[in-house]
Amino acid sequence: MNKELQHLSERVSKGLMTRREFVGRAAALGVTAAVANTMLAGAAKAAGPVAGGDFKMGVQGGESTNSQDPATWSSDVPIAGGRHWGEPLVEVGPDGNLSGLVAESFEGSSDAKTWRFKVRQGIEFSNGKTVTAEDVMRTMERHTNEDSKSGALGIVQGIESMRTDGDVFELTLGVGNADMPYLMADYHLMIQPDGGFDNPGAAIGTGAYTLEADEPGVRQLYKRRDNYWGGDQSTTGHYDSSEIIVLNDATARTAALQSGQVDAINRVEPKIAKLLDRAPTLSVRNVSGRGHYVFIMHIDTAPFDNNELRLALKYAINRQEMVDKILQGYGGIGNDMPINAAYPLFDSSIPQREFDLAKAAEHYKKSGHDGSPIILRTADGAFPGAVDAAALFQQSAQAAGIPLEIKREPNDGYWSEVWNAQPFCASYWGGRPVQDQMYTTAYLSTADWNDTRFKRPEFDDMLMTARAELDNSKRKALYSKMGAMLRDEGGLILPMFNDFIDAVSNKVQGYEGDPNGPQMNWYAFKKTWKA
Amino acid sequence: MVHPIVKLVTQRLALGLLLLFAASILIFAGTTILPGDVAQQILGQSATPESLANLREELGLNDPPLTRYFNWLGGVLQGDLGTALTNGRDIADSLAARLKNTMFLAFWAAVIAVPLAILLGLLAVRFKDRWPDKLISGVTLATISIPEFMIGYVLIYWVAIRMGVFSSVAIVNDSMSLGAKLNAIAIPVMVLTLVVLAHMMRMTRAAILNVMQSAYIETAELKGLRALTVIRKHAFPNAIAPIVNVVMLNLAYLVVGVVVVEVVFAYPGMGQYLVDHVSKRDVPVVQACGLIFAAVYIGLNLVADIVSILANPRLRHPK
């Protein structure tokens, strides 16, 4: 690193200079913003974390119906809160690599069917009980249970048998899965004493913080605990307390950050992100993730059972325009497959589908469609900007002679009455840590959430082969074929991948984007500190 | 013989109770015919036929509606509102905390808005058709015409962000001191005051102006009393009934109608609580909230009726 930059970055970490000034000076020295940000994070780390202080996060995605039972979590507030008190066996890092939490290490058999997780020795739950392999097994049992309502059911379904062997938890799968440890990082699978059978919502786990106050839909307050296995406050979990304040209204959220009532917020609206970034006391931080906005067709329902029509629609969507106008540039264009460069083993050689009205018209003509209106259902809640995106799509489709008609649905009931029920609608996916999980969740013939009704035995076979394949180059080739197949034959129109857009007060140090989720995959409370 | 006022008041009270009972039937019927099966809503996509059947049994959804209604009503009469389907919490406990917050906000908004509205109304009458009257009417009508979320955002921007006083997030909890709580709710109270002011002010003005046409006001003026004294001593007492009515309507609004303000300021009141549970089809909570809102509305209107009766000298002193 250049000496001057080094000096400047140290000034930032001492609070003598703002991040924006630094990025500006760095640009003058010929360094890109991305590199400058990385340097800054390094400098902040070098200056060393500071223990103490209180962290407050304004979060969108909490309801008064939330509970602390990990099995029920699906929105951001409970997920973010759960990271405070609970830990799964492993976590996925920003680089996509796994590291152990409750599990100290793990290993798989050569057929990827049997996985052994060695439980970290001598670590304690916040109620003082020592964690055993038995607790881990009971936790998995609770989520795989017959009458389990757990959101992780789909993930742990493949487990055929489980047993403990001293401090080792061992599970055996029906079909080998090289990505099994990734699945164990799921936020539902917080290890609880005795699996949380007696009191699933007790909020007792191995996390660095303990729950002090919980008002569903309002706030959650956590205090740092003393006997956290990961070390004391100067090592990790630097804040004395961390509070999540539920701010579902976008304006309320940004106002709270601007007036200094919270230190960080998630889901900055793309519309205002650039404006907000001009405020002197905070910075907007975006990271490209795996989440994507989609228009999905049921390929078993007319007229979408005709691949020519599907291709016509895929060519008729202007992806770049969507990224520019719906995401305001905070995102990347999609290629009609749910995988992008944020996934390991992504094949970047698959050609990008371009916006091509002539081809769209040609495919539409070949499809022999009778010209009756094709109904696209959308709602404000389908994804931010979904109604506008549908209107853009309608216009470009019209230019290709495709009669697209928009039907606007109410937000209330959209996910039960429209999504996965109507043949053509707008929707979104949050993405998964690995390709296998994404495909298994939504594109396997038997998947509950196969929202495009994509049922191809050859695709399923490839998925299963890739899953048990430990040779990465072979896996990559298989995933590449599967991606191309979805792109050309699937019912998925994927115009854009959306960034996570957070905003963080300049008082907060050590923030680094994580493609796994907003607010450093919700680990910001643990990994950042205030200078 | 029973004093006619006692009789009238008792009648009103009995009517109020009857109305509340009717409201409970409506609430129950309304939530029962909501589209979507409750059990299906709770279990969502992972529902299996067995788990659905189990849950329906558990919730008593297989009983005829009439049985369910009386079971529910019986519970409510004993103070048992049941448990929330979504997070298993006791509804009475969660609701009590939310209701307390709603009442806290409504109380402070009313403490400021009601005297202010009446005072402004009196002033408007005193300076009728002159600039103070026009200014008061103009400003209050402007604030009632702007959507409340807009006023909220504007105040957040100017007061909380630019001036840096008061808080833009109005979250209150039990561990806060009264001062801290008041600081938190200052901006929402301002918004609510601006929203309800015009209605009460205009009504006060109209009611008093109406009385001002009377012959006895002319007498008072001819006696040489000062204009404000005439209004205060002779006109206002005779205009109380319509004013109390409109004040009560606005108080009821402050309790049951402020969900938008709650969202903008993230205030943990009843409105947000109700909306969250409606979207999750958590019927017992929706019913409990509906019943409380109905009770507040009916109760406040009852108070207005009784006050009007008591304010009427002909009823107070029967021949």
Side-chain angles (χ1 to χ4, degrees):
Chain A
M1 198 195 293
N2 173 314
K3 262 218 174 113
E4 183 171 357
L5 276 178
Q6 175 98 48
H7 168 72
L8 292 176
S9 61
E10 275 159 17
R11 280 176 67 82
V12 180
S13 48
K14 284 178 193 141
L16 297 170
M17 191 177 184
T18 70
R19 186 189 67 93
R20 196 167 307 100
E21 280 167 354
F22 173 75
V23 175
R25 299 283 283 276
L29 290 164
V31 177
T32 65
V35 174
N37 277 324
T38 319
M39 280 166 54
L40 261 191
K45 248 186 207 151
V50 180
D54 303 306
F55 183 59
K56 286 184 178 188
M57 193 160 54
V59 181
Q60 194 265 1
E63 301 91 29
S64 35
T65 49
N66 292 151
S67 94
Q68 288 284 355
D69 175 1
T72 65
W73 296 345
S74 62
S75 49
D76 278 340
V77 169
I79 295 169
R83 292 258 196 261
H84 288 77
W85 62 259
E87 287 175 331
L89 283 172
V90 293
E91 71 177 343
V92 185
D95 51 2
N97 290 329
L98 283 172
S99 56
L101 287 174
V102 173
E104 186 179 62
S105 61
F106 52 86
E107 52 175 1
S109 61
S110 57
D111 59 355
K113 273 192 178 175
T114 306
W115 287 91
R116 291 166 64 85
F117 295 86
K118 187 170 185 299
V119 174
R120 209 174 280 279
Q121 279 311 284
I123 69 172
E124 286 176 5
F125 289 114
S126 54
N127 64 358
K129 214 181 138 272
T130 305
V131 183
T132 64
E134 197 67 27
D135 292 316
V136 176
M137 189 166 89
R138 292 285 283 166
T139 300
M140 299 306 155
E141 271 174 13
R142 191 166 79 84
H143 291 276
T144 46
N145 210 312
E146 284 273 307
D147 42 70
S148 159
K149 295 162 195 162
S150 171
L153 191 60
I155 291 170
V156 287
Q157 244 165 6
I159 300 178
E160 207 151 70
S161 66
M162 296 185 277
R163 68 183 189 100
T164 59
D165 172 13
D167 57 355
V168 170
F169 163 66
E170 185 186 287
L171 58 86
T172 308
L173 301 165
V175 184
N177 185 353
D179 286 334
M180 186 64 206
Y182 279 95
L183 304 186
M184 288 292 135
D186 188 272
Y187 58 79
H188 295 103
L189 300 176
M190 297 295 178
I191 307 301
Q192 295 176 281
D194 196 34
F197 270 98
D198 24 282
N199 187 359
I204 289 172
T206 61
Y209 289 76
T210 51
L211 183 64
E212 279 283 312
D214 182 21
E215 298 167 47
V218 183
R219 66 178 196 129
Q220 296 183 359
L221 176 66
Y222 294 90
K223 285 259 169 345
R224 180 69 157 89
R225 63 184 262 215
D226 290 330
N227 54 343
Y228 178 54
W229 63 268
D232 62 6
Q233 274 178 272
S234 56
T235 328
T236 182
H238 311 294
Y239 299 111
D240 293 335
S241 80
S242 168
E243 187 171 4
I244 294 172
I245 296 173
V246 181
L247 294 172
N248 290 326
D249 183 73
T251 313
R253 214 158 52 242
T254 36
L257 181 66
Q258 282 180 286
S259 62
Q261 284 176 311
V262 296
D263 303 308
I265 56 172
N266 70 332
R267 295 214 191 186
V268 174
E269 292 196 317
K271 273 191 283 220
I272 62 153
K274 289 201 171 78
L275 290 172
L276 187 66
D277 198 32
R278 286 195 212 149
T281 55
L282 56 93
S283 7
V284 170
R285 312 293 296 265
N286 59 309
V287 56
S288 58
R290 307 180 180 111
H292 44 275
Y293 297 162
V294 291
F295 297 104
I296 42 177
M297 307 174 273
H298 287 179
I299 64 172
D300 60 355
T301 312
F304 309 106
D305 52 351
N306 184 331
N307 197 36
E308 292 296 332
L309 183 84
R310 298 203 292 272
L311 281 173
L313 287 166
K314 286 175 184 174
Y315 278 111
I317 195 162
N318 189 342
R319 293 151 211 273
Q320 193 56 50
E321 185 186 31
M322 295 256 176
V323 171
D324 293 343
K325 292 186 176 161
I326 304 298
L327 300 176
Q328 307 287 327
Y330 289 97
I333 56 172
N335 196 17
D336 299 329
M337 48 187 266
I339 305 301
N340 64 354
Y343 280 91
L345 307 179
F346 170 70
D347 179 9
S348 54
S349 67
I350 300 176
Q352 171 65 43
R353 176 163 286 132
E354 303 291 344
F355 174 50
D356 190 335
L357 286 177
K359 270 193 184 162
E362 192 189 313
H363 283 291
Y364 182 67
K365 215 172 148 198
K366 264 198 233 163
S367 76
H369 185 253
D370 59 5
S372 59
I374 298 171
I375 294 171
L376 169 62
R377 284 164 212 269
T378 183
D380 279 325
F383 59 80
V387 175
D388 298 337
L392 288 176
F393 190 14
Q394 184 190 32
Q395 281 185 0
S396 56
Q398 218 156 35
I402 306 171
L404 205 58
E405 190 177 302
I406 299 174
K407 187 156 191 287
R408 194 168 169 174
E409 300 279 351
N411 283 342
D412 188 29
Y414 189 80
W415 301 110
S416 54
E417 313 289 328
V418 179
W419 175 73
N420 217 1
Q422 295 292 344
F424 191 23
C425 73
S427 174
Y428 75 95
W429 277 100
R432 295 291 184 272
V434 287
Q435 298 198 32
D436 176 73
Q437 205 185 341
M438 188 66 238
Y439 284 136
T440 308
T441 313
Y443 303 95
L444 187 67
S445 299
T446 51
D448 291 335
W449 289 350
N450 189 334
D451 56 8
T452 53
R453 306 287 184 270
F454 185 75
K455 292 171 186 172
R456 295 291 160 87
E458 62 272 35
F459 184 89
D460 297 353
D461 286 345
M462 280 195 279
L463 184 58
M464 292 306 148
T465 319
R467 183 180 287 180
E469 180 60 65
L470 293 173
D471 179 344
N472 274 345
S473 63
K474 284 186 190 160
R475 281 184 99 192
K476 188 172 170 180
L478 281 166
Y479 283 142
S480 169
K481 263 195 205 164
M482 289 160 62
M485 186 171 173
L486 258 185
R487 171 186 181 271
D488 297 330
E489 297 167 33
L492 171 77
I493 303 173
L494 196 158
M496 51 194 155
F497 284 87
N498 57 300
D499 283 2
F500 296 116
I501 315 177
D502 297 335
V504 188
S505 156
N506 288 342
K507 282 181 283 184
V508 174
Q509 302 286 320
Y511 179 97
E512 279 173 88
D514 185 329
N516 294 299
Q519 289 297 341
M520 306 181 73
N521 196 19
W522 299 117
Y523 282 116
F525 73 93
K526 191 175 163 187
K527 296 183 176 173
T528 65
W529 63 91
K530 283 184 190 171
Chain B
M1 196 198 121
V2 190
H3 195 283
I5 285 207
V6 178
K7 202 175 138 206
L8 267 172
V9 170
T10 329
Q11 253 176 12
R12 289 286 155 180
L13 283 174
L15 264 175
L17 280 178
L18 196 67
L19 206 56
L20 193 57
F21 182 67
S24 79
I25 295 177
L26 275 181
I27 291 164
F28 191 84
T31 47
T32 311
I33 58 172
L34 264 185
D37 177 64
V38 183
Q40 182 79 51
Q41 287 290 343
I42 298 170
L43 293 180
Q45 284 145 325
S46 59
T48 61
E50 302 96 84
S51 60
L52 276 176
N54 288 344
L55 193 66
R56 283 205 192 97
E57 184 67 35
E58 199 184 309
L59 299 175
L61 292 177
N62 297 326
D63 297 340
L66 210 61
T67 319
R68 276 188 287 147
Y69 172 70
F70 282 108
N71 285 343
W72 173 66
L73 194 67
V76 170
L77 290 177
Q78 294 163 37
D80 173 20
L81 296 171
T83 48
L85 302 176
T86 41
N87 59 5
R89 290 193 173 216
D90 186 66
I91 297 176
D93 289 349
S94 328
L95 204 57
R98 293 300 187 111
L99 184 62
K100 204 175 80 184
N101 289 341
T102 289
M103 290 300 181
F104 183 71
L105 182 62
F107 172 78
W108 286 104
V111 160
I112 294 174
V114 173
L116 189 63
I118 290 174
L119 183 74
L120 289 176
L122 295 177
L123 284 176
V125 173
R126 168 68 184 80
F127 300 102
K128 181 170 168 277
D129 292 337
R130 284 158 53 193
W131 70 265
D133 179 27
K134 289 189 174 141
L135 182 73
I136 291 169
S137 287
V139 171
T140 52
L141 287 177
T143 58
I144 202 178
S145 311
I146 304 171
E148 56 212 80
F149 67 87
M150 187 67 207
I151 303 180
Y153 289 154
V154 169
L155 286 182
I156 286 179
Y157 181 71
W158 285 106
V159 180
I161 297 178
R162 295 303 288 269
M163 290 156 65
V165 287
F166 299 133
S167 139
S168 72
V169 174
I171 288 182
V172 294
N173 57 60
D174 289 339
S175 61
M176 290 164 78
S177 67
L178 182 65
K181 280 185 180 178
L182 290 179
N183 180 51
I185 65 164
I187 303 183
V189 164
M190 286 182 217
V191 174
L192 291 175
T193 304
L194 290 174
V195 169
V196 296
L197 207 54
H199 195 191
M200 290 190 285
M201 191 286 289
R202 296 287 296 182
M203 197 62 184
T204 309
R205 182 178 176 277
I208 296 178
L209 278 181
N210 199 21
V211 177
M212 295 293 275
Q213 315 289 333
S214 317
Y216 64 86
I217 298 291
E218 211 173 332
T219 314
E221 277 166 3
L222 291 175
K223 275 197 299 189
L225 291 182
R226 283 171 48 223
L228 268 180
T229 319
V230 175
I231 295 171
R232 192 165 50 84
K233 285 206 145 163
H234 298 277
F236 183 64
N238 288 301
I240 263 189
I243 295 175
V244 167
N245 259 313
V246 75
V247 166
M248 288 305 159
L249 273 181
N250 280 291
L251 289 188
Y253 165 80
L254 286 178
V255 176
V256 309
V258 296
V259 62
V260 175
V261 172
E262 284 179 15
V263 170
V264 168
F265 294 96
Y267 190 75
M270 291 265 291
Q272 188 60 51
Y273 183 73
L274 173 64
V275 170
D276 280 354
H277 286 85
V278 168
S279 59
K280 290 277 158 74
R281 301 284 185 275
D282 195 335
V283 174
V285 179
V286 177
Q287 288 168 338
C289 289
L291 203 60
I292 286 177
F293 282 159
V296 167
Y297 223 93
I298 293 170
L300 286 173
N301 278 293
L302 207 62
V303 172
D305 280 359
I306 292 170
V307 171
S308 326
I309 293 170
L310 294 178
N312 188 335
R314 270 165 299 198
L315 290 172
R316 263 191 325 225
H317 310 288
K319 282 181 186 152

